[in-house]
Amino acid sequence: MYTKLLYDYLVDCECCKYCVLRYLKPRYEELLCVDKAFEKRKLGPVKTDSIESNEKKLKLNPCAICFGLFDNIDSIILKIKEDDRLKNYQIDKFLSSFSLPVLLELTQLQMWLALIEKFPDHISKENTPDIPIKDAIKYIINDRLECELKKEFDVEGIMIGINFSIENEHEALSKLDEVAPELMNERNKQKKRFRTEVISRNYFCKHFTPKSIDIVKFQKLIPIPPKVPIEPIKFDEITFTGPTIFLAGRYNKYSRELSQTPWVVGGKRLSDLSVEEIIVSTVLPYFKVSESCVTFMSSGREDVDVRCLGKGRPFVLEIMNATKTILDITLAKEIEAKVCQSGVVAIRDVQLVKRDDLHSIKSGEEDKKKYYRAMCTLRDNDIINEDMLMKLDINEAFDIQQWTPLRVLHRRTLMKRTRTVHSVKAYAVKDKQNLIVLDFVTQAGTYIKELVHGEFGRTAPSISSLINMDIDIISLDVMNIDLDFPPSTQT
């Protein structure tokens, strides 16, 4: 009996069939076939002289609650299907985002208050009596899009944004200043620069409920139930945004005049290219994104004059608004080959990884081992001898104390750091009595140049202090980074 009375009341208030059903608390799947849901409940147009009138109300007039939002379903689906921008995305998944006017929250509150007054024994002040408009429209449109686009709804898909507006919304919401000045004053205290809306959806839903407002005062200023709008809701635009994907790999750097990232000091560029720019410029065309959509990350960095050899240094490109989420082996190899054509950078093991995998590149950053080879020189009059080579044949780990090097103080905090040197191995250079090759295995974050010469005692102990001679570094190479990321794709 109550269900029939509620149905008749909502019809008389000129609600659309979707909104009527929302207040009958259906299962979500019933929203996909509203007529059958009514038939199941033995409901339909009221059998009185006003049958024709009620049928028109359910079909033609803008709904008193949703302003005709649900009348837009077919046109929205068609616009999305026919939008040329959608063809740019080679992605078989999607998700949706709806921007609905806050005024719809107000009309739902108006109807809630009307139902409390009409059916006080059935409608509470604590729990909303309907399925929210936004939940209902999303459920219906997502189901339709899955069928029409042949794509799966998934958070890693294309974001389809659907935006609506209502004329004179600002004017209608401004009445809330009189309805609940205490709530709006609190809201206004939170005003942010450039904010234009009267009230946010979250703030309204949280603070404007039957329990928190003066219903008598509300009814004097805002009609209960809501009146049928003169103009229906306006469909504004559709936007498409590709997902964020993560392209990982390892890079080698063969030049001693190439920075890892763009090198700018005091507004002046100090190198023409960088490892980052070579890799990013190669990848951009494959994912059809602009440079601003790509962020480069790596597991540490080497100086401009240091080569990175061996298996290379792990890196990740965060690519926003990507047009594809699949990278087959052939395409990955093509990207690797193009980067290699630069002659100064090569990459390997290129693949897409999950966001959750990124912890590998950062976790244990100071615990992993790094392998270096340094060509060093003594003073002209000093020569390498057997005793020196024996002193530098160190297989047991030892700790050093390093103050932040003077050369990086412009970008690093001045502090003393403890680092572990796991091993040192020394080799003489044939026919070069004052040259020595040193192989180091150290904790990540160790400054190798300072480990060699000591930097006026700022690193202790150092190779210089161990042999009690001045020694300097001529060249340095990173030979290996003990990090199994990303997985090897080499066969």
Side-chain angles (χ1 to χ4, degrees):
M1 183 64 180
Y2 163 68
T3 300
K4 180 66 166 64
L5 292 174
L6 176 60
Y7 171 85
D8 289 342
Y9 181 73
L10 293 169
V11 169
D12 287 340
C13 290
E14 302 198 40
C15 300
C16 70
K17 62 183 181 181
Y18 287 96
C19 283
V20 171
L21 184 59
R22 289 192 303 107
Y23 284 90
L24 300 183
K25 290 297 181 84
R27 299 191 308 274
Y28 270 95
E29 55 267 27
E30 290 185 285
L31 292 168
L32 305 178
C33 193
V34 178
D35 295 333
K36 283 188 176 180
F38 286 139
E39 183 180 338
K40 176 183 175 183
R41 290 168 173 78
K42 296 182 171 51
L43 296 171
V46 181
K47 297 184 182 300
T48 66
D49 294 337
S50 61
I51 288 178
E52 183 181 352
S53 173
N54 281 327
E55 287 176 340
K56 288 182 178 179
K57 289 175 187 175
L58 283 171
K59 186 175 181 181
L60 300 176
N61 293 345
C63 173
I65 302 177
C66 74
F67 284 68
L69 172 68
F70 292 94
D71 295 334
N72 285 271
I73 293 173
D74 289 339
S75 62
I76 289 171
I77 300 298
L78 185 61
K79 286 179 184 293
I80 292 172
K81 282 182 62 177
E82 295 182 346
D83 198 306
D84 288 337
R85 292 172 296 171
L86 186 61
K87 299 172 185 175
N88 294 328
Y89 295 93
Q90 300 173 30
I91 301 172
D92 58 3
K93 300 176 181 178
F94 79 95
L95 70 160
S96 61
S97 170
F98 289 78
S99 176
L100 299 179
V102 180
L103 187 55
L104 297 185
E105 302 295 339
L106 176 58
T107 58
Q108 288 182 103
L109 177 59
Q110 289 170 264
M111 183 55 74
W112 187 357
L113 295 173
L115 293 177
I116 290 173
E117 182 179 310
K118 183 72 175 177
F119 306 105
D121 294 335
H122 296 275
I123 305 297
S124 80
K125 291 184 178 182
E126 287 80 16
N127 303 312
T128 56
D130 61 325
I131 291 176
I133 288 178
K134 195 167 188 177
D135 292 351
I137 192 71
K138 285 183 73 171
Y139 186 85
I140 295 168
I141 287 185
N142 288 341
D143 182 81
R144 288 281 301 277
L145 286 176
E146 281 195 318
C147 296
E148 300 289 343
L149 302 182
K150 303 296 188 292
K151 295 180 185 292
E152 176 188 357
F153 182 85
D154 191 276
V155 293
E156 295 184 355
I158 313 161
M159 171 68 79
I160 302 175
I162 305 169
N163 304 312
F164 293 88
S165 64
I166 295 175
E167 283 191 29
N168 302 319
E169 179 188 30
H170 191 283
E171 180 182 340
L173 292 175
S174 294
K175 293 180 181 179
L176 296 174
D177 285 320
E178 298 178 67
V179 170
E182 67 286 352
L183 292 176
M184 293 303 288
N185 287 339
E186 186 64 29
R187 160 71 177 171
N188 293 334
K189 288 178 184 178
Q190 303 172 13
K191 277 190 176 178
K192 297 179 181 177
R193 196 179 181 189
F194 307 127
R195 192 176 68 194
T196 58
E197 80 268 11
V198 175
I199 189 170
S200 70
R201 178 182 304 280
N202 288 339
Y203 191 86
F204 184 94
C205 293
K206 181 178 180 180
H207 296 285
F208 283 82
T209 67
K211 289 190 67 175
S212 62
I213 61 173
D214 184 332
I215 298 178
V216 175
K217 189 175 183 181
F218 184 99
Q219 194 164 11
K220 288 179 180 178
L221 295 162
I222 299 174
I224 297 175
K227 293 182 178 179
V228 176
I230 298 173
E231 293 293 333
I233 196 168
K234 180 185 175 185
F235 170 66
D236 286 337
E237 65 172 344
I238 295 172
T239 61
F240 296 95
T241 306
T244 296
I245 62 172
F246 300 90
L247 182 80
R250 300 179 79 108
Y251 76 78
N252 292 115
K253 179 169 84 78
Y254 302 122
S255 170
R256 298 194 187 279
E257 298 178 346
L258 186 68
S259 59
Q260 185 195 67
T261 56
W263 190 15
V264 180
V265 177
K268 183 178 180 181
R269 179 132 193 177
L270 300 184
S271 63
D272 295 332
L273 270 178
S274 65
V275 173
E276 174 186 335
E277 289 166 304
I278 291 171
I279 296 174
V280 169
S281 63
T282 303
V283 168
L284 291 182
Y286 290 92
F287 295 95
K288 297 181 181 179
V289 296
S290 63
E291 188 176 340
S292 62
C293 291
V294 181
T295 301
F296 178 88
M297 299 174 280
S298 66
S299 177
R301 61 191 299 138
E302 65 283 322
D303 291 338
V304 173
D305 59 351
V306 176
R307 297 185 302 177
C308 185
L309 308 177
K311 289 171 60 179
R313 185 182 298 277
F315 72 90
V316 172
L317 297 183
E318 180 181 10
I319 305 173
M320 296 178 288
N321 195 19
T323 58
K324 61 180 69 175
T325 54
I326 297 174
L327 182 68
D328 60 43
I329 295 177
T330 301
L331 193 55
K333 294 301 179 185
E334 185 177 323
I335 292 173
E336 292 175 2
K338 286 198 174 185
V339 170
C340 192
Q341 289 174 8
S342 68
V344 289
V345 176
I347 59 176
R348 57 181 283 167
D349 300 333
V350 169
Q351 59 195 274
L352 293 180
V353 298
K354 300 290 186 182
R355 184 186 293 271
D356 291 344
D357 297 330
L358 299 188
H359 76 278
S360 298
I361 201 168
K362 292 298 181 183
S363 66
E365 193 162 279
E366 292 190 352
D367 297 326
K368 60 180 177 284
K369 295 179 180 179
K370 292 191 175 181
Y371 298 74
Y372 299 90
R373 173 162 291 174
M375 176 69 77
C376 303
T377 181
L378 304 177
R379 288 181 176 177
D380 291 340
N381 295 329
D382 293 328
I383 61 173
I384 306 298
N385 56 50
E386 191 72 25
D387 182 58
M388 187 182 300
L389 293 176
M390 290 181 64
K391 285 182 179 179
L392 297 180
D393 185 9
I394 304 171
N395 294 311
E396 292 187 5
F398 63 95
D399 288 343
I400 61 172
Q401 305 296 321
Q402 286 196 312
W403 283 99
T404 305
L406 299 174
R407 61 188 172 88
V408 299
L409 272 178
H410 65 285
R411 56 183 173 88
R412 290 283 188 270
T413 303
L414 175 61
M415 62 181 292
K416 183 186 287 187
R417 299 172 177 83
T418 301
R419 292 290 183 263
T420 299
V421 179
H422 295 281
S423 66
V424 182
K425 185 69 176 177
Y427 304 91
V429 178
K430 187 177 181 180
D431 299 329
K432 299 289 184 179
Q433 292 185 324
N434 66 328
L435 295 184
I436 186 172
V437 173
L438 297 176
D439 282 350
F440 296 99
V441 180
T442 71
Q443 178 185 354
T446 304
Y447 292 101
I448 302 300
K449 294 175 181 178
E450 286 68 28
L451 171 59
V452 171
H453 56 64
E455 196 183 35
F456 314 112
R458 292 169 60 83
T459 291
S462 64
I463 298 302
S464 177
S465 67
L466 291 176
I467 62 175
N468 198 27
M469 286 186 181
D470 288 336
I471 184 171
D472 206 353
I473 193 165
I474 298 175
S475 63
L476 179 64
D477 294 324
V478 179
M479 303 303 294
N480 187 32
I481 296 169
D482 189 19
L483 182 63
D484 187 22
F485 176 85
S488 175
T489 60
Q490 307 300 309
T491 55

